[in-house]
CSV table of all heavy atoms in Angstrom, one decimal:
chain,number,residue,atom,x,y,z
H,46,GLU,N,-4.7,7.9,14.8
H,46,GLU,CA,-4.2,9.1,14.1
H,46,GLU,C,-2.9,8.8,13.4
H,46,GLU,O,-2.2,7.9,13.8
H,46,GLU,CB,-3.9,10.2,15.2
H,46,GLU,CG,-5.2,10.7,15.9
H,46,GLU,CD,-6.1,11.5,15.0
H,46,GLU,OE1,-5.6,12.2,14.2
H,46,GLU,OE2,-7.3,11.3,15.2
H,47,PHE,N,-2.7,9.5,12.3
H,47,PHE,CA,-1.4,9.3,11.6
H,47,PHE,C,-0.3,9.8,12.4
H,47,PHE,O,-0.4,10.8,13.1
H,47,PHE,CB,-1.4,10.0,10.2
H,47,PHE,CG,-2.0,9.2,9.1
H,47,PHE,CD1,-3.3,9.4,8.8
H,47,PHE,CD2,-1.2,8.3,8.4
H,47,PHE,CE1,-3.9,8.6,7.7
H,47,PHE,CE2,-1.8,7.6,7.4
H,47,PHE,CZ,-3.1,7.7,7.0
H,48,GLU,N,0.8,9.0,12.5
H,48,GLU,CA,2.0,9.4,13.1
H,48,GLU,C,3.1,9.6,12.1
H,48,GLU,O,3.1,8.8,11.1
H,48,GLU,CB,2.4,8.5,14.3
H,48,GLU,CG,2.6,7.0,13.8
H,48,GLU,CD,2.9,6.1,15.0
H,48,GLU,OE1,1.9,5.7,15.7
H,48,GLU,OE2,4.1,5.8,15.2
H,49,ALA,N,3.9,10.5,12.2
H,49,ALA,CA,5.0,10.8,11.2
H,49,ALA,C,6.0,9.6,11.3
H,49,ALA,O,6.4,9.2,12.3
H,49,ALA,CB,5.7,12.1,11.6
H,50,VAL,N,6.2,9.1,10.1
H,50,VAL,CA,7.2,8.0,9.9
H,50,VAL,C,7.8,8.1,8.6
H,50,VAL,O,7.1,8.2,7.6
H,50,VAL,CB,6.6,6.6,10.2
H,50,VAL,CG1,5.5,6.3,9.3
H,50,VAL,CG2,7.6,5.5,10.2
H,51,GLU,N,9.1,8.1,8.5
H,51,GLU,CA,9.8,8.2,7.2
H,51,GLU,C,10.6,6.9,7.0
H,51,GLU,O,11.6,6.6,7.6
H,51,GLU,CB,10.8,9.3,7.2
H,51,GLU,CG,11.4,9.6,5.8
H,51,GLU,CD,12.2,10.8,5.7
H,51,GLU,OE1,11.9,11.8,6.3
H,51,GLU,OE2,13.3,10.7,5.0
H,52,LEU,N,10.0,6.0,6.0
H,52,LEU,CA,10.6,4.7,5.7
H,52,LEU,C,10.8,4.6,4.2
H,52,LEU,O,10.0,5.2,3.5
H,52,LEU,CB,9.7,3.6,6.2
H,52,LEU,CG,9.3,3.6,7.7
H,52,LEU,CD1,8.2,2.6,7.9
H,52,LEU,CD2,10.5,3.3,8.6
H,53,LEU,N,11.6,3.7,3.8
H,53,LEU,CA,11.8,3.4,2.4
H,53,LEU,C,10.8,2.2,2.1
H,53,LEU,O,10.7,1.3,2.9
H,53,LEU,CB,13.2,2.9,2.1
H,53,LEU,CG,13.5,2.5,0.7
H,53,LEU,CD1,13.3,3.7,-0.3
H,53,LEU,CD2,14.9,1.9,0.6
H,54,LEU,N,10.1,2.3,1.0
H,54,LEU,CA,9.2,1.3,0.5
H,54,LEU,C,9.6,1.0,-0.9
H,54,LEU,O,9.8,1.9,-1.7
H,54,LEU,CB,7.8,1.8,0.6
H,54,LEU,CG,6.7,0.9,0.1
H,54,LEU,CD1,5.5,1.1,1.0
H,54,LEU,CD2,6.4,1.0,-1.3
H,55,ILE,N,9.8,-0.3,-1.3
H,55,ILE,CA,10.2,-0.7,-2.6
H,55,ILE,C,9.2,-1.7,-3.2
H,55,ILE,O,8.8,-2.7,-2.5
H,55,ILE,CB,11.6,-1.4,-2.6
H,55,ILE,CG1,12.6,-0.3,-2.1
H,55,ILE,CG2,11.9,-2.0,-3.9
H,55,ILE,CD1,14.0,-0.9,-2.0
H,56,ILE,N,8.7,-1.4,-4.4
H,56,ILE,CA,7.9,-2.4,-5.2
H,56,ILE,C,8.8,-2.9,-6.2
H,56,ILE,O,9.3,-2.2,-7.1
H,56,ILE,CB,6.7,-1.7,-5.8
H,56,ILE,CG1,5.8,-1.1,-4.7
H,56,ILE,CG2,5.9,-2.7,-6.7
H,56,ILE,CD1,4.7,-0.2,-5.2
H,57,ASP,N,9.2,-4.2,-6.1
H,57,ASP,CA,10.1,-4.9,-7.0
H,57,ASP,C,9.4,-5.9,-7.9
H,57,ASP,O,9.1,-7.0,-7.5
H,57,ASP,CB,11.2,-5.6,-6.1
H,57,ASP,CG,12.3,-6.3,-7.0
H,57,ASP,OD1,12.1,-6.3,-8.2
H,57,ASP,OD2,13.2,-6.8,-6.3
H,58,ALA,N,9.0,-5.4,-9.1
H,58,ALA,CA,8.2,-6.3,-10.0
H,58,ALA,C,9.0,-7.4,-10.5
H,58,ALA,O,8.5,-8.5,-10.9
H,58,ALA,CB,7.6,-5.4,-11.1
H,59,ASP,N,10.3,-7.2,-10.6
H,59,ASP,CA,11.2,-8.3,-11.1
H,59,ASP,C,11.1,-9.5,-10.3
H,59,ASP,O,11.1,-10.7,-10.7
H,59,ASP,CB,12.7,-7.8,-11.2
H,59,ASP,CG,12.9,-6.9,-12.3
H,59,ASP,OD1,12.2,-6.8,-13.3
H,59,ASP,OD2,13.9,-6.1,-12.2
H,60,ASN,N,11.0,-9.3,-8.9
H,60,ASN,CA,10.9,-10.4,-8.0
H,60,ASN,C,9.5,-10.6,-7.4
H,60,ASN,O,9.4,-11.3,-6.4
H,60,ASN,CB,12.0,-10.2,-6.9
H,60,ASN,CG,13.4,-10.3,-7.5
H,60,ASN,OD1,13.7,-11.2,-8.1
H,60,ASN,ND2,14.1,-9.2,-7.2
H,61,ASN,N,8.5,-9.9,-7.9
H,61,ASN,CA,7.1,-10.0,-7.3
H,61,ASN,C,7.2,-9.8,-5.8
H,61,ASN,O,6.6,-10.6,-5.1
H,61,ASN,CB,6.5,-11.3,-7.7
H,61,ASN,CG,6.1,-11.4,-9.2
H,61,ASN,OD1,5.7,-10.4,-9.8
H,61,ASN,ND2,6.4,-12.5,-9.8
H,62,ARG,N,7.7,-8.7,-5.4
H,62,ARG,CA,7.9,-8.5,-4.0
H,62,ARG,C,7.7,-7.0,-3.6
H,62,ARG,O,8.1,-6.1,-4.4
H,62,ARG,CB,9.4,-8.9,-3.6
H,62,ARG,CG,9.7,-8.8,-2.1
H,62,ARG,CD,10.9,-9.5,-1.8
H,62,ARG,NE,10.6,-10.9,-1.8
H,62,ARG,CZ,11.6,-11.9,-1.7
H,62,ARG,NH1,12.8,-11.5,-1.7
H,62,ARG,NH2,11.2,-13.1,-1.7
H,63,ILE,N,7.2,-6.8,-2.5
H,63,ILE,CA,7.0,-5.4,-1.9
H,63,ILE,C,7.8,-5.4,-0.5
H,63,ILE,O,7.5,-6.4,0.3
H,63,ILE,CB,5.6,-5.0,-1.7
H,63,ILE,CG1,4.9,-5.0,-3.1
H,63,ILE,CG2,5.4,-3.7,-1.0
H,63,ILE,CD1,3.3,-5.0,-3.0
H,64,LYS,N,8.6,-4.5,-0.3
H,64,LYS,CA,9.4,-4.4,0.9
H,64,LYS,C,9.1,-3.0,1.6
H,64,LYS,O,9.1,-2.0,0.9
H,64,LYS,CB,10.9,-4.5,0.7
H,64,LYS,CG,11.3,-5.9,0.4
H,64,LYS,CD,12.8,-6.0,0.3
H,64,LYS,CE,13.3,-7.3,-0.1
H,64,LYS,NZ,14.8,-7.4,-0.1
H,65,ILE,N,8.9,-3.1,2.9
H,65,ILE,CA,8.8,-1.8,3.7
H,65,ILE,C,9.9,-1.9,4.8
H,65,ILE,O,9.9,-2.9,5.6
H,65,ILE,CB,7.4,-1.7,4.3
H,65,ILE,CG1,6.3,-1.7,3.2
H,65,ILE,CG2,7.4,-0.4,5.2
H,65,ILE,CD1,4.9,-1.8,3.8
H,66,PHE,N,10.8,-1.0,4.7
H,66,PHE,CA,12.0,-1.0,5.6
H,66,PHE,C,11.7,-0.3,6.9
H,66,PHE,O,12.3,0.7,7.2
H,66,PHE,CB,13.2,-0.4,4.9
H,66,PHE,CG,13.7,-1.3,3.8
H,66,PHE,CD1,13.2,-1.1,2.5
H,66,PHE,CD2,14.6,-2.3,4.0
H,66,PHE,CE1,13.6,-1.9,1.4
H,66,PHE,CE2,15.0,-3.2,2.9
H,66,PHE,CZ,14.5,-2.9,1.7
H,67,SER,N,10.8,-0.9,7.7
H,67,SER,CA,10.5,-0.4,9.1
H,67,SER,C,11.5,-1.0,10.0
H,67,SER,O,12.4,-1.7,9.6
H,67,SER,CB,9.0,-0.8,9.4
H,67,SER,OG,8.8,-2.1,9.3
H,68,LYS,N,11.3,-0.8,11.3
H,68,LYS,CA,12.2,-1.4,12.3
H,68,LYS,C,12.4,-2.8,12.1
H,68,LYS,O,13.5,-3.3,12.1
H,68,LYS,CB,11.7,-1.1,13.7
H,68,LYS,CG,12.6,-1.4,14.8
H,68,LYS,CD,12.0,-1.0,16.2
H,68,LYS,CE,13.0,-1.3,17.3
H,68,LYS,NZ,12.5,-0.9,18.6
H,69,GLU,N,11.3,-3.6,11.9
H,69,GLU,CA,11.4,-4.9,11.4
H,69,GLU,C,11.0,-4.9,9.9
H,69,GLU,O,9.9,-4.5,9.6
H,69,GLU,CB,10.4,-5.8,12.2
H,69,GLU,CG,10.8,-6.1,13.6
H,69,GLU,CD,9.9,-7.1,14.3
H,69,GLU,OE1,9.4,-8.0,13.6
H,69,GLU,OE2,9.7,-6.9,15.5
H,70,GLU,N,11.9,-5.3,9.1
H,70,GLU,CA,11.7,-5.3,7.6
H,70,GLU,C,10.5,-6.1,7.3
H,70,GLU,O,10.3,-7.2,7.7
H,70,GLU,CB,12.9,-5.8,6.9
H,70,GLU,CG,12.8,-5.7,5.4
H,70,GLU,CD,14.1,-6.1,4.7
H,70,GLU,OE1,15.2,-5.7,5.1
H,70,GLU,OE2,13.9,-6.9,3.7
H,71,GLN,N,9.6,-5.5,6.5
H,71,GLN,CA,8.4,-6.2,6.1
H,71,GLN,C,8.6,-6.6,4.6
H,71,GLN,O,8.9,-5.8,3.8
H,71,GLN,CB,7.1,-5.3,6.2
H,71,GLN,CG,6.9,-4.8,7.6
H,71,GLN,CD,5.9,-3.6,7.5
H,71,GLN,OE1,4.8,-3.8,7.0
H,71,GLN,NE2,6.2,-2.5,8.1
H,72,VAL,N,8.4,-7.9,4.3
H,72,VAL,CA,8.5,-8.4,3.0
H,72,VAL,C,7.2,-9.1,2.6
H,72,VAL,O,6.7,-10.0,3.3
H,72,VAL,CB,9.7,-9.4,2.9
H,72,VAL,CG1,9.8,-10.0,1.5
H,72,VAL,CG2,11.0,-8.8,3.3
H,73,TYR,N,6.7,-8.7,1.5
H,73,TYR,CA,5.4,-9.3,1.0
H,73,TYR,C,5.7,-9.8,-0.4
H,73,TYR,O,6.0,-9.0,-1.4
H,73,TYR,CB,4.3,-8.2,0.9
H,73,TYR,CG,4.1,-7.6,2.3
H,73,TYR,CD1,4.6,-6.4,2.6
H,73,TYR,CD2,3.4,-8.3,3.3
H,73,TYR,CE1,4.5,-5.9,3.9
H,73,TYR,CE2,3.2,-7.8,4.5
H,73,TYR,CZ,3.7,-6.6,4.8
H,73,TYR,OH,3.6,-6.0,6.1
H,74,ASP,N,5.6,-11.1,-0.6
H,74,ASP,CA,5.7,-11.7,-1.9
H,74,ASP,C,4.3,-11.7,-2.6
H,74,ASP,O,3.3,-12.2,-2.0
H,74,ASP,CB,6.2,-13.2,-1.8
H,74,ASP,CG,7.7,-13.2,-1.4
H,74,ASP,OD1,8.5,-12.4,-1.9
H,74,ASP,OD2,8.0,-14.0,-0.5
H,75,ILE,N,4.3,-11.2,-3.8
H,75,ILE,CA,3.0,-11.1,-4.5
H,75,ILE,C,2.6,-12.5,-5.1
H,75,ILE,O,3.4,-13.1,-5.9
H,75,ILE,CB,3.2,-10.1,-5.7
H,75,ILE,CG1,3.5,-8.7,-5.0
H,75,ILE,CG2,1.9,-10.0,-6.5
H,75,ILE,CD1,3.9,-7.6,-6.1
H,76,ILE,N,1.4,-12.9,-4.8
H,76,ILE,CA,0.9,-14.2,-5.3
H,76,ILE,C,0.0,-13.9,-6.5
H,76,ILE,O,0.0,-14.7,-7.4
H,76,ILE,CB,0.1,-14.9,-4.2
H,76,ILE,CG1,0.9,-15.2,-3.0
H,76,ILE,CG2,-0.6,-16.1,-4.7
H,76,ILE,CD1,0.1,-15.7,-1.8
H,77,LYS,N,-0.8,-12.9,-6.4
H,77,LYS,CA,-1.8,-12.6,-7.4
H,77,LYS,C,-2.0,-11.1,-7.6
H,77,LYS,O,-2.0,-10.4,-6.6
H,77,LYS,CB,-3.1,-13.2,-7.1
H,77,LYS,CG,-4.2,-13.0,-8.1
H,77,LYS,CD,-5.5,-13.7,-7.8
H,77,LYS,CE,-6.5,-13.5,-8.8
H,77,LYS,NZ,-7.8,-14.2,-8.5
Side-chain angles (χ1 to χ4, degrees):
E46 294 293 322
F47 272 95
E48 54 185 84
V50 61
E51 188 175 322
L52 305 170
L53 178 64
L54 181 145
I55 296 176
I56 300 173
D57 183 352
D59 288 338
N60 295 306
N61 290 317
R62 184 168 282 171
I63 299 167
K64 289 184 180 182
I65 303 171
F66 292 90
S67 54
K68 188 174 183 178
E69 289 186 31
E70 184 177 313
Q71 302 168 55
V72 179
Y73 302 100
D74 290 316
I75 299 170
I76 300 170
K77 181 178 180 180

